[in-house]
Amino acid sequence: MTHLAPRTAPRRVVVISTGGTIASRWQGTGYAADASGGEVLAQAAVPDGVTVEVVDLFNVNSSSMTSARQLTLLRAVHEALADPGVAGVVVTHGTDTLEESAFFVDLHHDDPRPVVFTGA
């Protein structure tokens, strides 16, 4: 049994927003992660035939990504992939700890659908 959505149906992707530079905006004295996942997604080109569901999980600078937050992120990825209609997951993340979070999720990822990390 495959977990991938049929090609004729629109593909659903879940974007999990965690903050970082990709979600940072000028605060008058510096930048801080405060944009929602929807605000970040509004700057992206979404291909035709793809629908996106945004999960605003965190809105923290990447240096504040703790082990507890990584566990919460892992649970959110698993929850998104529990839906067989989801074609994949994109995690927006700060670059300071993106590698560590991606590695942690990869260690516990056995689903054939992709989990992609991106930052700015």
Side-chain angles (χ1 to χ4, degrees):
M1 181 171 133
T2 182
H3 293 284
L4 299 176
R7 288 263 186 223
T8 57
R11 288 187 246 168
R12 286 180 45 226
V13 174
V14 174
V15 173
I16 300 174
S17 177
T18 67
T21 302
I22 196 168
S24 291
R25 302 297 180 262
W26 182 252
Q27 302 299 311
T29 58
Y31 287 91
D34 78 336
S36 70
E39 291 174 285
V40 172
L41 186 62
Q43 304 299 315
V46 177
D48 291 338
V50 175
T51 60
V52 180
E53 173 188 334
V54 176
V55 174
D56 285 311
L57 191 61
F58 307 121
N59 210 351
V60 298
N61 292 323
S62 184
S63 59
S64 297
M65 184 59 73
T66 63
S67 297
R69 286 189 172 125
Q70 287 174 327
L71 283 168
T72 301
L73 172 58
L74 178 64
R75 283 188 215 102
V77 167
H78 286 168
E79 184 177 311
L81 293 174
D83 181 342
V86 170
V89 173
V90 175
V91 177
T92 62
H93 198 291
T95 56
D96 282 348
T97 57
L98 183 145
E99 181 180 11
E100 290 82 355
S101 293
F103 181 68
F104 178 73
V105 169
D106 186 54
L107 287 174
H108 301 282
H109 180 67
D110 61 359
D111 193 291
R113 294 169 290 175
V115 177
V116 177
F117 280 71
T118 188

